[in-house]
Amino acid sequence: EAGVTQFPSHSVIEKGQTVTLRCDPISGHDNLYWYRRVMGKEIKFLLHFVKESKQDESGMPNNRFLAERTGGTYSTLKVQPAELEDSGVYFCASSQVLGGNNEQFFGPGTRLTVL
Amino acid sequence: GEDVEQSLFLSVREGDSSVINCTYTDSSSTYLYWYKQEPGAGLQLLTYIFSNMDMKQDQRLTVLLNKKDKHLSLRIADTQTGDSAIYFCAKGGNMLTFGGGTRLMVKP
């Protein structure tokens, strides 16, 4: 069974540009999460999809970030325009069960560098 | 909000036991997790414990939970060089709250 995949693995862009990150969850997982780790700090929750619906987007930092999951399969996270403080590693995770021991399977992350 | 804290760094010799500690502030009942991140890889779930448990053992891993002190620890017995990685504790249900990670270095 394929794990969670993320694309690209690395992205280097200039301040003001747009970047789109993609996440493909494990097949059949309705729950999809985005997290990020900025400047070596804690991994912070961004948002949670259940199928194509946003269940919780309380962690989204501002309106420069837009997440979508059309069709309830893969998800994209767009940053427009990117700022220096957006640099970090963006992780995607997916899970099958909501609540209980909600084991989340993580992808390898996308390292975003904004110059 | 919830705070989860860990020490930044731990160095042990191969064959020794490693103990990685984590403290948290919110005492609500939930699951607590330990994740391992190797270079270039994602977060791998090692083990978890529910907050009504005190201890869980899984092969070389022992998780201890002190609910009174809001303290969680991960003990790795007979630590190997392959255990070198960053270890994250996390708390929650759907939205996980992570500690900053502890970098474990195992010296031969």
Side-chain angles (χ1 to χ4, degrees), chain A residues 33 37 45 98 101-102 104 107, chain B residues 31 42 45 48 94-96 100:
Chain A
Y33 308 82
R37 190 180 191 204
F45 167 83
L98 194 64
N101 174 23
N102 178 30
Q104 297 184 23
Chain B
Y31 286 88
L45 179 65
Y48 64 90
N94 294 313
M95 180 185 86
L96 295 179

Side-chain angles (χ1 to χ4, degrees), chain A residues 90-110:
Chain A
Y90 289 76
F91 292 102
C92 176
S94 71
S95 72
Q96 196 169 33
V97 177
L98 194 64
N101 174 23
N102 178 30
E103 180 176 355
Q104 297 184 23
F105 295 85
F106 281 77
T110 293

Side-chain angles (χ1 to χ4, degrees), chain B residues 44-97:
Chain B
Q44 173 198 357
L45 179 65
L46 289 178
T47 186
Y48 64 90
I49 190 169
F50 189 60
S51 54
N52 67 353
M53 298 169 64
D54 297 322
M55 186 184 86
K56 181 178 180 180
Q57 187 157 0
D58 184 1
Q59 299 181 332
R60 293 191 298 122
L61 305 179
T62 303
V63 179
L64 293 177
L65 177 60
N66 183 325
K67 290 181 284 294
K68 175 175 172 290
D69 294 339
K70 298 177 188 174
H71 181 267
L72 180 74
S73 67
L74 174 69
R75 179 177 179 269
I76 305 172
D78 187 25
T79 312
Q80 302 297 306
T81 54
D83 295 324
S84 293
I86 302 176
Y87 291 80
F88 293 92
C89 64
K91 187 174 184 287
N94 294 313
M95 180 185 86
L96 295 179
T97 300

Side-chain angles (χ1 to χ4, degrees), chain A residues 30-83:
Chain A
D30 288 340
N31 298 288
L32 188 148
Y33 308 82
W34 284 98
Y35 294 84
R36 73 172 182 176
R37 190 180 191 204
V38 174
M39 296 286 290
K41 294 185 179 178
E42 295 85 0
I43 300 169
K44 294 282 194 185
F45 167 83
L46 295 178
L47 87 160
H48 168 207
F49 283 99
V50 177
K51 297 185 180 178
E52 67 275 9
S53 300
K54 292 175 184 174
Q55 179 82 4
D56 181 354
E57 51 183 329
S58 61
M60 293 288 266
N62 52 60
N63 59 10
R64 295 186 294 105
F65 289 75
L66 175 64
E68 295 180 319
R69 194 183 180 194
T70 306
T73 53
Y74 70 90
S75 174
T76 58
L77 179 65
K78 181 190 288 188
V79 185
Q80 180 182 29
E83 298 289 345

